[in-house]
Protein backbone atom coordinates (compact mmCIF):
# COMPACT_ATOMS: atom_id res chain seq x y z
CA UNK A 1 0.00 0.00 0.00
CA UNK A 2 0.98 3.64 -0.46
CA UNK A 3 -0.22 6.39 1.84
CA UNK A 4 -0.96 9.83 0.40
CA UNK A 5 -1.02 12.72 2.86
CA UNK A 6 -3.07 15.55 1.37
CA UNK A 7 -1.75 18.97 2.42
CA UNK A 8 1.95 19.72 2.69
CA UNK A 9 2.34 22.48 5.25
CA UNK A 10 3.01 22.26 9.01
CA UNK A 11 0.20 19.85 9.80
CA UNK A 12 1.33 17.56 6.99
CA UNK A 13 4.80 17.01 8.37
CA UNK A 14 3.31 16.19 11.78
CA UNK A 15 1.03 13.67 10.13
CA UNK A 16 3.95 12.37 8.07
CA UNK A 17 5.82 11.73 11.34
CA UNK A 18 2.75 9.99 12.78
CA UNK A 19 2.37 7.76 9.71
CA UNK A 20 6.11 7.02 9.76
CA UNK A 21 5.95 5.96 13.44
CA UNK A 22 2.98 3.68 12.81
CA UNK A 23 4.69 2.23 9.75
CA UNK A 24 7.80 1.37 11.78
CA UNK A 25 5.56 -1.07 13.67
CA UNK A 26 3.21 -2.49 11.04
CA UNK A 27 5.14 -1.89 7.82
CA UNK A 28 1.87 -1.37 5.97
CA UNK A 29 3.09 1.25 3.50
CA UNK A 30 5.89 0.91 0.99
CA UNK A 31 5.80 4.66 0.49
CA UNK A 32 4.35 7.73 2.24
CA UNK A 33 3.80 10.58 -0.22
CA UNK A 34 2.75 14.21 0.35
CA UNK A 35 0.23 15.95 -1.90
CA UNK A 36 0.29 19.71 -2.39
CA UNK A 37 -1.62 21.21 -5.31
CA UNK A 38 0.08 24.61 -4.92
CA UNK A 39 3.76 23.60 -4.99
CA UNK A 40 6.18 22.20 -7.53
CA UNK A 41 6.56 18.46 -7.59
CA UNK A 42 9.86 18.03 -5.79
CA UNK A 43 11.20 16.05 -2.85
CA UNK A 44 10.15 17.54 0.48
CA UNK A 45 10.66 16.32 4.05
CA UNK A 46 12.56 13.32 2.70
CA UNK A 47 9.74 12.06 0.49
CA UNK A 48 7.92 12.75 -2.78
CA UNK A 49 5.63 15.75 -2.93
CA UNK A 50 3.21 15.65 -5.85
CA UNK A 51 -0.06 17.14 -7.08
CA UNK A 52 -3.34 15.27 -6.52
CA UNK A 53 -3.69 14.80 -10.29
CA UNK A 54 -0.39 12.85 -10.29
CA UNK A 55 -1.43 10.20 -7.73
CA UNK A 56 -2.42 7.66 -10.31
CA UNK A 57 0.98 7.99 -11.99
CA UNK A 58 2.74 6.69 -8.87
CA UNK A 59 0.30 4.02 -7.61
CA UNK A 60 -2.52 1.74 -8.71
CA UNK A 61 -5.97 2.62 -7.36
CA UNK A 62 -6.20 -0.48 -5.16
CA UNK A 63 -2.89 0.28 -3.40
CA UNK A 64 -3.72 3.89 -2.47
CA UNK A 65 -4.90 5.17 0.90
CA UNK A 66 -5.41 8.83 1.78
CA UNK A 67 -5.37 10.95 4.90
CA UNK A 68 -5.93 14.70 5.11
CA UNK A 69 -3.42 16.84 6.98
CA UNK A 70 -5.10 20.22 6.93
CA UNK A 71 -6.24 22.17 10.01
CA UNK A 72 -9.01 24.17 8.35
CA UNK A 73 -12.26 22.21 8.83
CA UNK A 74 -13.94 23.46 5.64
CA UNK A 75 -10.85 22.49 3.63
CA UNK A 76 -10.86 19.03 5.20
CA UNK A 77 -14.40 18.58 3.87
CA UNK A 78 -13.47 19.84 0.39
CA UNK A 79 -10.46 17.53 0.11
CA UNK A 80 -12.36 14.53 1.50
CA UNK A 81 -15.06 15.05 -1.13
CA UNK A 82 -12.38 15.22 -3.84
CA UNK A 83 -10.80 11.95 -2.65
CA UNK A 84 -14.10 10.11 -2.46
CA UNK A 85 -15.37 11.55 -5.79
CA UNK A 86 -12.24 10.14 -7.45
CA UNK A 87 -13.04 6.69 -6.05
CA UNK A 88 -10.13 6.70 -3.58
CA UNK A 89 -10.23 5.57 0.03
CA UNK A 90 -9.64 7.48 3.28
CA UNK A 91 -7.77 5.62 5.99
CA UNK A 92 -7.37 6.17 9.75
CA UNK A 93 -4.16 6.95 11.64
CA UNK A 94 -3.96 6.41 15.39
CA UNK A 95 -0.74 6.91 17.32
CA UNK A 96 0.30 4.01 19.54
CA UNK A 97 0.50 6.32 22.55
CA UNK A 98 -3.11 7.50 22.18
CA UNK A 99 -5.69 5.90 24.48
CA UNK A 100 -8.76 4.97 22.48
CA UNK A 101 -11.59 3.13 24.23
CA UNK A 102 -12.66 -0.19 22.76
CA UNK A 103 -16.19 1.22 22.82
CA UNK A 104 -15.33 4.33 20.79
CA UNK A 105 -16.31 4.45 17.12
CA UNK A 106 -13.77 6.00 14.79
CA UNK A 107 -14.83 6.70 11.20
CA UNK A 108 -12.51 6.65 8.15
CA UNK A 109 -10.32 9.70 7.65
CA UNK A 110 -9.78 10.30 11.37
CA UNK A 111 -6.37 11.08 12.82
CA UNK A 112 -5.65 10.59 16.52
CA UNK A 113 -2.20 11.88 17.32
CA UNK A 114 0.22 11.15 20.17
CA UNK A 115 -1.05 11.35 23.73
CA UNK A 116 -4.69 11.97 22.81
CA UNK A 117 -7.47 10.26 24.77
CA UNK A 118 -10.72 9.18 23.16
CA UNK A 119 -12.91 7.91 25.94
CA UNK A 120 -15.71 5.38 26.33
CA UNK A 121 -18.52 5.35 23.74
CA UNK A 122 -17.18 8.40 21.91
CA UNK A 123 -18.27 8.69 18.31
CA UNK A 124 -15.82 10.39 15.94
CA UNK A 125 -17.41 10.89 12.53
CA UNK A 126 -15.48 10.96 9.23
CA UNK A 127 -12.30 12.90 8.71
CA UNK A 128 -11.75 14.46 12.15
CA UNK A 129 -8.27 15.45 13.27
CA UNK A 130 -7.56 14.99 16.99
CA UNK A 131 -4.17 16.48 17.73
CA UNK A 132 -1.52 15.89 20.40
CA UNK A 133 -2.90 15.33 23.93
CA UNK A 134 -6.47 16.35 23.14
CA UNK A 135 -9.16 14.65 25.25
CA UNK A 136 -12.63 13.62 24.14
CA UNK A 137 -14.81 12.68 27.11
CA UNK A 138 -17.16 9.72 27.37
CA UNK A 139 -20.25 9.58 25.13
CA UNK A 140 -19.23 12.69 23.19
CA UNK A 141 -20.17 12.85 19.52
CA UNK A 142 -17.76 14.75 17.28
CA UNK A 143 -19.30 15.20 13.84
CA UNK A 144 -17.43 15.09 10.53
CA UNK A 145 -14.42 17.22 9.51
CA UNK A 146 -13.71 18.70 12.96
CA UNK A 147 -10.27 19.77 14.16
CA UNK A 148 -9.51 19.30 17.86
CA UNK A 149 -6.21 21.07 18.57
CA UNK A 150 -3.48 20.05 21.02
CA UNK A 151 -4.67 19.84 24.65
CA UNK A 152 -8.26 20.79 23.81
CA UNK A 153 -10.86 18.98 25.91
CA UNK A 154 -14.38 17.99 24.93
CA UNK A 155 -16.42 17.25 28.06
CA UNK A 156 -18.42 14.02 28.29
CA UNK A 157 -21.83 13.79 26.64
CA UNK A 158 -21.12 16.81 24.42
CA UNK A 159 -21.95 17.18 20.74
CA UNK A 160 -19.52 18.95 18.43
CA UNK A 161 -21.15 19.92 15.12
CA UNK A 162 -19.66 19.39 11.67
CA UNK A 163 -16.53 21.36 10.70
CA UNK A 164 -15.93 22.80 14.18
CA UNK A 165 -12.48 23.99 15.26
CA UNK A 166 -11.43 23.74 18.91
CA UNK A 167 -8.29 25.86 19.44
CA UNK A 168 -5.25 24.85 21.47
CA UNK A 169 -6.05 24.18 25.16
CA UNK A 170 -9.71 25.14 24.86
CA UNK A 171 -12.27 23.28 26.95
CA UNK A 172 -15.96 22.45 26.70
CA UNK A 173 -17.99 21.67 29.80
CA UNK A 174 -19.74 18.30 29.82
CA UNK A 175 -23.05 18.16 27.98
CA UNK A 176 -22.40 21.32 25.94
CA UNK A 177 -23.44 21.25 22.27
CA UNK A 178 -21.87 23.13 19.37
CA UNK A 179 -23.67 23.73 16.09
CA UNK A 180 -21.90 23.27 12.75
CA UNK A 181 -18.96 25.54 11.80
CA UNK A 182 -18.19 26.84 15.28
CA UNK A 183 -14.70 28.13 16.14
CA UNK A 184 -13.54 28.02 19.75
CA UNK A 185 -10.52 30.28 20.28
CA UNK A 186 -7.30 29.09 21.80
CA UNK A 187 -7.52 28.73 25.59
CA UNK A 188 -11.26 29.42 25.74
CA UNK A 189 -13.66 27.82 28.22
CA UNK A 190 -17.10 26.98 26.87
CA UNK A 191 -19.90 26.59 29.41
CA UNK A 192 -22.96 26.99 27.21
CA UNK A 193 -24.19 25.70 23.86
CA UNK A 194 -22.98 27.65 20.82
CA UNK A 195 -25.19 28.01 17.77
CA UNK A 196 -23.89 27.23 14.29
CA UNK A 197 -21.44 29.55 12.48
CA UNK A 198 -20.12 31.43 15.50
CA UNK A 199 -16.66 32.18 16.88
CA UNK A 200 -16.32 32.22 20.67
CA UNK A 201 -13.32 33.23 22.78
CA UNK A 202 -12.37 33.82 26.41
CA UNK A 203 -13.34 32.48 29.82
CA UNK A 204 -16.27 32.23 29.94
CA UNK A 205 -16.36 32.00 26.16
CA UNK A 206 -18.45 34.67 24.43
CA UNK A 207 -19.37 35.13 20.80
CA UNK A 208 -17.01 37.60 19.07
CA UNK A 209 -18.05 37.13 15.49
CA UNK A 210 -19.64 34.76 13.06
CA UNK A 211 -17.96 32.11 10.96
CA UNK A 212 -19.94 32.47 7.78
CA UNK A 213 -16.65 32.36 5.81
CA UNK A 214 -15.90 28.93 7.30
CA UNK A 215 -12.31 30.00 7.94
CA UNK A 216 -10.10 29.81 11.02
CA UNK A 217 -6.88 30.65 9.23
CA UNK A 218 -7.14 33.71 7.02
C1 LIG B 1 -10.44 32.78 17.73
C2 LIG B 1 -9.52 33.19 16.60
C3 LIG B 1 -9.78 32.31 15.38
C4 LIG B 1 -9.87 34.65 16.29
O1 LIG B 1 -9.04 35.09 15.31
P1 LIG B 1 -9.28 36.57 14.68
O2 LIG B 1 -10.68 36.72 14.22
O3 LIG B 1 -8.19 36.80 13.71
O4 LIG B 1 -9.22 37.48 15.93
P2 LIG B 1 -8.24 38.65 16.24
O5 LIG B 1 -6.85 38.11 16.37
O6 LIG B 1 -8.49 39.74 15.24
O7 LIG B 1 -8.72 39.10 17.66
C5 LIG B 1 -9.94 39.78 17.88
C6 LIG B 1 -10.03 40.07 19.37
O8 LIG B 1 -10.30 38.84 20.06
C7 LIG B 1 -9.23 38.57 20.99
N1 LIG B 1 -8.95 37.13 20.91
C8 LIG B 1 -8.65 36.43 19.79
N2 LIG B 1 -8.49 35.13 20.09
C9 LIG B 1 -8.70 35.03 21.42
C10 LIG B 1 -8.66 33.93 22.29
N3 LIG B 1 -8.40 32.70 21.85
N4 LIG B 1 -8.96 34.16 23.60
C11 LIG B 1 -9.23 35.43 24.04
N5 LIG B 1 -9.28 36.50 23.23
C12 LIG B 1 -9.00 36.30 21.94
C13 LIG B 1 -8.03 39.39 20.52
O9 LIG B 1 -7.16 39.67 21.57
C14 LIG B 1 -8.74 40.61 19.98
O10 LIG B 1 -9.11 41.43 21.05
P3 LIG B 1 -9.03 43.03 20.91
O11 LIG B 1 -10.00 43.38 19.81
O12 LIG B 1 -9.46 43.49 22.27
O13 LIG B 1 -7.63 43.33 20.57
C15 LIG B 1 -8.02 33.05 16.97
O14 LIG B 1 -7.59 34.08 17.85
C16 LIG B 1 -7.70 31.72 17.62
O15 LIG B 1 -7.81 31.50 18.84
N6 LIG B 1 -7.26 30.77 16.75
C17 LIG B 1 -6.92 29.44 17.14
C18 LIG B 1 -5.42 29.27 17.30
C19 LIG B 1 -5.07 27.84 17.46
O16 LIG B 1 -5.56 27.14 18.32
N7 LIG B 1 -4.22 27.34 16.57
C20 LIG B 1 -3.92 25.96 16.56
C21 LIG B 1 -2.92 25.59 15.56
S1 LIG B 1 -2.52 23.88 15.79
Amino acid sequence: MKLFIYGANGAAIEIYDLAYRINMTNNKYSEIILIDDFQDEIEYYGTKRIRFSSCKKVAGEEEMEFIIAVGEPSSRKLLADRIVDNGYKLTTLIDESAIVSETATIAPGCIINAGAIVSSKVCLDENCMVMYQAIIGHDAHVKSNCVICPKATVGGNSIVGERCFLGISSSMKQGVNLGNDVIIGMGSMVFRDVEAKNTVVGNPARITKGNSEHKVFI
Side-chain angles (χ1 to χ4, degrees):
M1 297 297 290
K2 296 191 183 192
L3 177 67
F4 293 85
I5 300 177
Y6 207 158
N9 53 19
I13 58 177
E14 288 187 350
I15 304 310
Y16 180 89
D17 286 353
L18 166 62
Y20 188 89
R21 281 195 300 276
I22 296 172
N23 214 35
M24 294 281 277
T25 310
N26 66 11
N27 231 350
K28 179 177 177 187
Y29 300 112
S30 59
E31 220 175 348
I32 303 172
I33 298 166
L34 298 169
I35 305 176
D36 189 330
D37 291 328
F38 302 104
Q39 302 285 342
D40 292 338
E41 297 196 331
I42 52 163
E43 194 168 301
Y44 176 69
Y45 208 61
T47 189
K48 283 192 192 104
R49 183 180 68 192
I50 62 172
R51 304 274 174 93
F52 183 70
S53 53
S54 298
C55 290
K56 40 175 128 34
K57 291 186 210 152
V58 297
E61 211 169 291
E62 63 301 328
E63 58 173 349
M64 294 182 187
E65 286 189 349
F66 287 77
I67 198 84
I68 299 171
V70 171
E72 186 76 74
S74 56
S75 306
R76 294 190 69 75
K77 160 94 177 100
L78 193 117
L79 298 181
D81 288 348
R82 187 173 298 162
I83 288 164
V84 171
D85 290 349
N86 276 273
Y88 303 146
K89 202 172 75 177
L90 283 165
T91 191
T92 304
L93 294 181
I94 303 177
D95 191 85
E96 278 184 1
S97 70
I99 297 174
V100 179
S101 167
E102 288 292 325
T103 56
T105 311
I106 314 294
C110 287
I111 295 166
I112 304 176
N113 216 328
I117 300 176
V118 177
S119 187
S120 321
K121 289 169 65 193
V122 163
C123 185
L124 273 189
D125 287 352
E126 302 76 41
N127 199 28
C128 290
M129 180 154 77
V130 178
M131 299 169 86
Y132 302 121
Q133 296 186 339
I135 300 175
I136 322 272
H138 67 89
D139 294 288
H141 180 186
V142 180
K143 296 190 182 174
S144 56
N145 301 296
C146 287
V147 173
I148 317 288
C149 286
K151 294 189 179 254
T153 301
V154 176
N157 278 315
S158 299
I159 299 175
V160 178
E162 294 172 20
R163 299 174 300 277
C164 287
F165 179 94
L166 276 61
I168 293 176
S169 292
S170 61
S171 292
M172 286 170 64
K173 188 183 171 187
Q174 76 280 359
V176 161
N177 300 327
L178 307 183
N180 295 342
D181 301 294
V182 166
I183 298 173
I184 300 181
M186 197 173 70
S188 302
M189 299 287 154
V190 183
F191 294 91
R192 293 184 194 287
D193 293 358
V194 183
E195 286 187 11
K197 297 186 184 161
N198 278 301
T199 299
V200 298
V201 302
N203 179 9
R206 303 278 187 227
I207 294 174
T208 51
K209 60 176 192 178
N211 179 30
S212 48
E213 302 273 303
H214 305 291
K215 289 277 175 222
V216 183
F217 303 99
I218 311 297

